[in-house]
Amino acid sequence: SGLEMPDNGNVLLDNEDITGKPGKISYMLQKDLLLPHKKIIDNVVLGLIVKGISKKEAYKRSEGLFEAFGIEETKELYPNQLSGGMRQRAAFLRTYLSAEGVALLDEPFSALDSITKANMHKWYIEMMKKIELSTIFITHDIEEAIYLSDRIYVLGGNPGTILEEIIIDKSRDEREEFMMSTEFLDYKKMLRNMLA
């Protein structure tokens, strides 16, 4: 995200060196971090405004996206009026609007109860089919990693190093059935053994 300099090496995005340059990659943390005194529309466009885009233009860029993200009725509400899942959708919309093609998601569903989390997983898979956004999704949940990912990087050590790259060879349309398959369990066993 450019907030810290790496110990070594460079960060490249589309062959551009973005090392130490914030604003090129958006990120979403575990908590939605919506500002309680601002309406959802104003929370969602905040990243654009911080980048220097006028409020009018920021509102224009968000048009139609509230419906696509399943939160069309929330624009004029405040965060405390939304469920946890709806708040995460609003936070993800803010991340998407601020992104330039890549977003870091740091355990964005970890604070949700299991039913809401399962619903958010399905929603996330559907959104990834609709929008053009590459995500780097950080999670400690093995099943979540397998279900949501196209590829998994297993990290270990301090500082973190890549231990393994695993390609999940299933289209997003196959994910529901895949979760109940022996192949899914094979991936899970392999990852558990790596992390043991």
Side-chain angles (χ1 to χ4, degrees), residues 14-33:
D14 293 328
N15 295 317
E16 177 189 351
D17 187 342
I18 61 165
T19 310
K21 295 178 183 175
K24 296 289 184 177
I25 296 177
S26 63
Y27 54 93
M28 180 175 160
L29 303 174
Q30 294 174 13
K31 295 182 180 171
D32 58 68
L33 299 178

Side-chain angles (χ1 to χ4, degrees), residues 172-188:
R172 291 196 172 108
D173 293 326
E174 301 173 287
R175 294 300 168 106
E176 279 302 302
E177 299 82 34
F178 173 55
M179 236 185 137
M180 300 300 169
S181 70
T182 55
E183 188 180 1
F184 187 91
L185 289 174
D186 290 341
Y187 278 116
K188 186 175 176 180

Side-chain angles (χ1 to χ4, degrees), residues 41-102:
I41 179 72
D42 295 313
N43 269 287
V44 163
V45 301
L46 185 60
L48 294 174
I49 291 169
V50 167
K51 285 184 173 185
I53 293 167
S54 73
K55 194 172 189 177
K56 182 179 178 181
E57 175 62 22
Y59 279 5
K60 187 177 176 183
R61 288 190 191 184
S62 75
E63 284 177 16
L65 291 173
F66 276 85
E67 184 177 353
F69 277 67
I71 54 171
E72 60 272 13
E73 305 297 324
T74 69
K75 283 184 187 181
E76 298 300 317
L77 300 178
Y78 289 90
N80 69 345
Q81 296 175 288
L82 272 62
S83 68
M86 297 298 255
R87 289 172 61 113
Q88 287 302 92
R89 288 182 189 207
F92 189 57
L93 176 52
R94 178 182 58 203
T95 302
Y96 173 68
L97 278 170
S98 302
E100 293 185 20
V102 179

